Amino acid sequence: MRRNRRFRRTESMLRLFTETDVPRRSLVPAYFIVDGSGVRREMPEHSGLVQLSCDTLRDEAMRARDGGAEAIMLFAVPTEKGVAHATRGDSLACRAVAACEGTGLVRMADVCLCSYTHDGHCGLWHEGNHGRPGGVDNDATVDILADMAAALAGAGAEVVAPSDMMDGRVAAIRAALDRDGLGDTLVLSYAAKMASAFYGPFRHAAESAPQHGDRRGYQMNPANGREAMREIATDIEEGADMLMMKPALTNLDLIAAARARWDVPIVAYQGAGEYAMIAEAARAGRIDRARAARETLLSIRRAGADLVVSYFAPDVWSGALTL
Ligand code: PBG
Ligand code: ZN
């Protein structure tokens, strides 16, 4: 008989033969930034996602830094809509980036228009013509995204992270960064981002739920793994430095496939809905929050992700989650 259980006889053996871990540096917390000061708006109806102003963000960032984080992901949620705000050097997003200057953290700034458009779509909507249906105007959107990325990098973001899923945006962003002398900025592209049911709470926190239609015209069909590989290949060709895969738990196979095929860093995003599933089940007393969080993070790492953006990250520095 083959006794595989030999490895599991004692606590120290369990520790010794552990294959995967979740170092603190691999966890990237994500924050929603709003206008104002002194804001710390906990959203219990969204499992504790929190909106911060630039000053409270800095406090939170310092806490993350002290807790072992090396990077943060920033989403600005400006009160005033209109895509013209997205490209300004003094936009809320740029001020949030600047507010974290000197923390020692790598600042990853989201690049997308859904918090700026009036209808919540990730790009400019056109109504369609000649009997063709409406949709996002890809190329007009890409022009704005490129300038938005350059503005964020100019404000100090070490990483820009386009999450819009338009075609050609990585190349356009690279060109805009080079144009502005910001060529050392890393591009973390959401290469394989599915049109997912797991973004619900994020859209409340980011105030970016589409007011009409859905995102299936630009985000990917969750059924398509081969297409995800094409998206990744395209983004790498266009100059992406790192890949984002999202959601994480429903795409573990694709994370593993991408890991085997490309040697760039892979980041997985455990989205707000993935977080909420666990947070709410734990709140209802059905599962253990810390154990479930740890198990999901481990499995995402085991699939091959280098970094994981997760709303559980602050649990680590609060002491609620031991990795
Ligand atoms: C918007 C964006 C979304 C997320 C990251 N960027 C939501 C969406 O596409 O609707 C998801 C984040 C999360 O679920 O936590 N471009
Ligand atoms: Zn968007």
Side-chain angles (χ1 to χ4, degrees), residues 258-304:
R259 173 74 298 151
R261 228 156 121 177
W262 286 283
D263 53 13
V264 299
I266 294 176
V267 187
Y269 200 135
Q270 184 174 42
E274 299 176 78
Y275 163 78
M277 267 197 306
I278 294 171
E280 292 308 314
R283 183 146 73 174
R286 300 295 197 280
I287 62 174
D288 182 289
R289 175 175 167 123
R291 284 187 57 207
R294 185 169 181 276
E295 189 173 329
T296 54
L297 293 168
L298 272 172
S299 61
I300 295 163
R301 290 269 303 160
R302 200 182 67 226

Side-chain angles (χ1 to χ4, degrees), residues 19-316:
E19 298 175 20
T20 314
D21 50 16
V22 186
R24 286 176 180 228
R25 68 175 158 76
S26 70
L27 290 180
V28 180
Y31 300 110
F32 302 98
I33 317 307
V34 295
D35 290 299
S37 62
V39 181
R40 209 197 143 79
R41 197 174 299 137
E42 302 252 7
M43 293 174 277
E45 72 281 19
H46 299 302
S47 317
L49 295 189
V50 51
Q51 292 178 333
L52 304 167
S53 47
C54 288
D55 52 342
T56 50
L57 165 67
R58 190 178 167 89
D59 299 340
E60 205 54 51
M62 298 298 276
R63 213 162 292 140
R65 173 80 263 207
D66 293 342
E70 296 290 353
I72 49 175
M73 177 67 80
L74 299 173
F75 294 94
V77 191
T79 320
E80 217 187 324
K81 302 294 170 189
V83 296
H85 295 289
T87 54
R88 296 174 55 130
D90 62 350
S91 68
L92 176 61
C94 287
R95 282 181 282 124
V97 166
C100 297
E101 174 92 57
T103 55
L105 290 161
V106 173
R107 293 162 291 174
M108 302 180 166
D110 183 67
V111 177
C112 196
L113 297 186
C114 51
S115 290
Y116 293 90
T117 51
H118 294 282
D119 62 6
H121 275 287
C122 298
L124 304 174
W125 196 263
H126 71 85
E127 283 309 326
N129 46 32
H130 308 303
R132 293 161 61 97
V136 287
D137 183 337
N138 188 94
D139 298 7
T141 301
V142 164
D143 288 342
I144 301 174
L145 293 170
D147 287 336
M148 181 182 184
L152 290 162
E158 286 84 4
V159 179
V160 290
S163 65
D164 53 285
M165 291 298 282
M166 299 303 133
D167 288 332
R169 91 275 207 217
V170 173
I173 287 171
R174 269 261 84 91
L177 292 170
D178 289 342
R179 173 196 70 200
D180 291 359
L182 300 162
D184 55 1
T185 310
L186 288 160
V187 177
L188 164 57
S189 80
Y190 286 62
K193 178 179 180 189
M194 302 300 178
S196 170
F198 291 103
Y199 307 153
F202 172 98
R203 291 181 186 175
H204 287 274
E207 297 165 16
S208 68
Q211 299 303 300
H212 57 84
D214 54 46
R215 302 207 202 287
R216 289 179 303 152
Y218 39 102
Q219 296 181 351
M220 281 192 55
N221 179 348
N224 292 1
R226 291 191 299 273
E227 187 183 5
M229 298 301 116
R230 292 204 296 280
E231 283 279 359
I232 292 171
T234 305
D235 284 6
I236 290 180
E237 271 162 36
E238 289 186 24
D241 300 286
M242 295 178 276
L243 305 173
M244 180 76 91
M245 315 281 286
K246 183 175 168 63
L249 281 188
T250 53
N251 289 311
L252 293 175
D253 58 333
L254 302 183
I255 294 171
R259 173 74 298 151
R261 228 156 121 177
W262 286 283
D263 53 13
V264 299
I266 294 176
V267 187
Y269 200 135
Q270 184 174 42
E274 299 176 78
Y275 163 78
M277 267 197 306
I278 294 171
E280 292 308 314
R283 183 146 73 174
R286 300 295 197 280
I287 62 174
D288 182 289
R289 175 175 167 123
R291 284 187 57 207
R294 185 169 181 276
E295 189 173 329
T296 54
L297 293 168
L298 272 172
S299 61
I300 295 163
R301 290 269 303 160
R302 200 182 67 226
D306 298 286
L307 306 178
V308 189
V309 181
S310 174
Y311 302 99
F312 285 116
D315 280 23
V316 174

